[in-house]
């Protein structure tokens, strides 16, 4: 805390000494507190020495590394599974009675969200629909068509359970590059737009053609123009978007300390690859929040109350996540060691936390 305050006051010589001391202390201890101290100390170092973060970023933010860390975090703890469970339940309910459905996924990754939904659609009492899917993902430096590879696997699964399926991968460096007409929406199809931990990346910057309009408002307007049956939004339940560095730092320190506590309580080997990669997944977010500013700072998390206001202002109405979603998430948590996970209903939304501190929030919306 003293180090962060020194950086905010531009007392860099004192901050350098304190970073060195933090790293020394962290190396002499063990457990979650040692790890969190190391990640925050490294992030403070990158803020003091901006040039040092460039080499680090090239390795740490490479897309292949990003997918590996995501996969490990997905398996290690329930946060991403919670996101997928709640979103899928809302999508399944919105698609009831529709024969042609279209999911637009803002961040396909390995497609781990969709096998369970495809299986659920296959056993609908009214019969399975024709499922179209558009999966968005970033460009790869090696030009490898990862999106299409995921699409092929999902198509094979859909075929095995007799669900008609068509897939289209869409490469986009930024979500605001994607325009509504790219999705080739067809008359009569029910649309679901799925955003898992992506919307906060749009909270910086304005539309080039209209500087009075924020990027997030432009994208929400584009989503609304598609007239979706449901928009699922899952975001970190935190406020890491303050322009005041110290305020943001303190909030992040508390938030990620809780995250690391929950990881430490798992049954994973503390030095095993899955644990290390999960910690690196969170460490990447910490570094972005602490060391970066401007357009480079993409981890601009805001709490559910802010998203409620933003979605309402954009013309969306909240859809209550019902007891089915709550029950499914509660059942899922039984598979994770650690008794501290808590799922709570918050005015029609669901949150997952650790020892009563909400850490991730899921909501669903329809056109108002």
């Amino acid at each position: 805390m003293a180090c962060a305050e020194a950086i905010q006051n531009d007392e860099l010589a004192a901050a350098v000494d304190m970073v060195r001391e933090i790293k020394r202390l962290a190396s002499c201890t063990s457990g979650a507190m040692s790890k969190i101290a190391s990640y925050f100390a490294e992030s403070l170092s990158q803020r003091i020495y901006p040039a040092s973060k460039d080499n680090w970023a090239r390795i740490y933010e490479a897309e292949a590394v990003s997918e590996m860390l995501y996969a490990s975090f997905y398996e290690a703890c329930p946060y991403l599974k919670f996101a997928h469970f709640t979103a899928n339940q809302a999508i399944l309910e919105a698609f009831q009675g529709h024969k042609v459905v279209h999911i637009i996924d803002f961040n396909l990754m390995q497609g781990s969200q969709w096998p369970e939904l495809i299986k659920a659609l296959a056993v609908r009492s009214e019969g399975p629909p024709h499922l179209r899917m558009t999966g968005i993902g970033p460009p790869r430096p090696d030009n490898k068509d990862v999106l299409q590879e995921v699409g092929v696997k999902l198509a094979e699964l859909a075929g095995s359970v007799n669900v008609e399926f068509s897939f289209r991968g869409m490469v986009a460096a930024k979500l605001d590059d994607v325009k509504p007409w790219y999705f080739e929406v067809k008359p009569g199809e029910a649309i679901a737009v799925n955003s898992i931990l992506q919307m906060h990346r749009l909270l910086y910057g304005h539309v080039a053609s209209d500087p009075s309009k924020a990027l997030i408002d432009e994208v929400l307007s584009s989503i609304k123009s598609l007239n979706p049956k449901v928009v699922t939004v899952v975001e970190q339940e935190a406020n890491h978007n303050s322009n005041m560095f110290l305020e943001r730092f303190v909030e992040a320190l508390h938030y990620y300390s809780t995250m690391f506590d929950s990881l430490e309580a798992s049954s994973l080997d503390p030095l095993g690859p899955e644990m290390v990669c999960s910690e690196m997944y969170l460490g990447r977010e910490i570094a972005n929040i602490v060391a970066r500013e401007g357009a480079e700072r993409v981890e601009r998390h805001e709490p559910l109350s802010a998203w409620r206001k933003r979605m309402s202002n954009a013309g969306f109405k909240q859809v209550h996540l019902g007891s089915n979603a709550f029950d499914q998430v509660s059942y899922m948590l039984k598979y994770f060691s650690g008794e501290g996970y808590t799922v709570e209903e918050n005015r029609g939304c669901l949150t997952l936390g650790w020892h009563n501190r909400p850490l991730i929030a899921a909501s669903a919306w329809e056109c108002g």
Side-chain angles (χ1 to χ4, degrees):
M1 294 279 287
C3 182
E5 193 168 353
I7 289 174
Q8 177 154 301
N9 295 334
D10 212 25
E11 298 165 356
L12 298 188
V16 167
D17 289 341
M18 281 188 269
V19 164
R20 195 177 296 121
E21 180 66 4
I22 294 164
K23 288 182 176 179
R24 186 189 70 79
L25 289 168
S27 68
C28 296
T29 185
S30 60
M33 201 62 236
S34 165
K35 291 172 181 177
I36 202 82
S38 296
Y39 277 109
F40 272 87
E42 177 59 34
S43 301
L44 289 167
S45 291
Q46 289 172 33
R47 191 175 180 92
I48 296 168
Y49 301 110
S52 71
K53 70 189 176 190
D54 294 334
N55 289 333
W56 174 90
R58 272 196 288 274
I59 300 168
Y60 213 26
E61 295 179 357
E63 202 52 45
V65 174
S66 175
E67 289 176 10
M68 179 185 72
L69 300 184
Y70 180 96
S72 293
F73 188 70
Y74 180 87
E75 294 299 333
C77 50
Y79 300 109
L80 292 174
K81 284 187 171 69
F82 162 83
H84 293 175
F85 267 72
T86 50
N88 281 356
Q89 189 60 39
I91 292 168
L92 197 60
E93 291 174 10
F95 280 172
Q96 280 181 359
H98 292 276
K99 293 181 178 178
V100 181
V101 299
H102 184 177
I103 295 171
I104 297 168
D105 188 357
F106 275 0
N107 188 31
L108 184 68
M109 295 301 281
Q110 295 100 339
S112 50
Q113 178 170 349
W114 304 118
E116 291 306 314
L117 182 75
I118 291 170
K119 291 173 189 173
L121 289 171
V123 296
R124 288 198 317 183
S125 58
E126 69 227 68
H130 176 95
L131 171 60
R132 286 184 67 204
M133 183 172 288
T134 302
I136 301 172
R140 293 285 290 255
D142 56 6
N143 291 322
K144 191 176 180 183
D145 197 347
V146 176
L147 296 177
Q148 205 55 41
E149 288 177 8
V150 173
V152 168
K153 289 177 183 174
L154 292 175
E156 288 172 354
L157 171 68
S160 72
V161 293
N162 298 316
V163 173
E164 284 187 73
F165 181 82
S166 55
F167 177 85
R168 184 179 175 213
M170 190 175 291
V171 175
K174 307 190 306 294
L175 275 179
D176 47 292
D177 290 339
V178 180
K179 305 305 176 190
W181 54 88
Y182 292 3
F183 300 116
E184 298 176 355
V185 170
K186 296 174 181 175
E189 67 181 15
I191 295 168
V193 176
N194 183 66
S195 175
I196 307 295
L197 310 181
Q198 293 302 303
M199 289 279 199
H200 63 262
R201 293 170 170 265
L202 298 162
L203 295 180
Y204 179 85
H206 294 79
V207 181
S209 60
D210 182 3
S212 67
K213 192 166 190 178
L215 283 182
I216 182 67
D217 296 331
E218 171 81 352
V219 171
L220 289 176
S221 177
S222 294
I223 293 171
K224 194 163 188 296
S225 73
L226 299 171
N227 195 30
K229 293 294 293 182
V230 69
V231 181
T232 48
V233 178
V234 181
E235 285 289 336
Q236 289 87 346
E237 183 59 7
N239 185 9
H240 298 147
N241 199 23
S242 171
N243 288 326
M244 291 289 292
F245 169 68
L246 189 59
E247 192 176 299
R248 190 168 79 239
F249 178 88
V250 171
E251 174 73 16
L253 186 60
H254 291 311
Y255 180 86
Y256 287 100
S257 293
T258 308
M259 273 283 189
F260 271 72
D261 277 343
S262 71
L263 269 179
E264 189 178 39
S266 74
S267 58
L268 295 174
D269 176 357
L271 300 176
E274 200 167 71
M275 176 68 92
V276 171
C277 287
S278 298
E279 290 164 355
M280 287 176 68
Y281 176 89
L282 297 174
R284 232 168 32 138
E285 293 181 2
I286 293 168
N288 190 267
I289 292 165
V290 173
R292 305 218 166 193
E293 292 294 350
E296 286 188 327
R297 180 157 63 83
V298 296
E299 300 296 346
R300 294 173 171 268
H301 312 145
E302 290 191 349
L304 182 57
S305 55
W307 287 107
R308 273 202 182 100
K309 186 175 181 181
R310 190 172 284 113
M311 295 296 288
S312 297
N313 288 346
F316 292 97
K317 187 172 67 175
Q318 191 180 312
V319 177
H320 277 237
L321 294 169
S323 57
N324 280 346
F326 186 95
D327 292 344
Q328 282 201 28
V329 172
S330 301
Y331 182 75
M332 175 200 71
L333 290 177
K334 293 176 182 176
Y335 289 90
F336 287 88
S337 53
E339 297 297 314
Y341 290 112
T342 52
V343 57
E344 294 180 357
E345 194 270 343
N346 181 331
R347 291 168 48 205
C349 303
L350 290 182
T351 63
L352 176 63
W354 179 251
H355 289 302
N356 298 318
R357 162 145 193 174
L359 295 170
I360 188 168
S363 60
W365 304 84
E366 62 185 7
C367 294

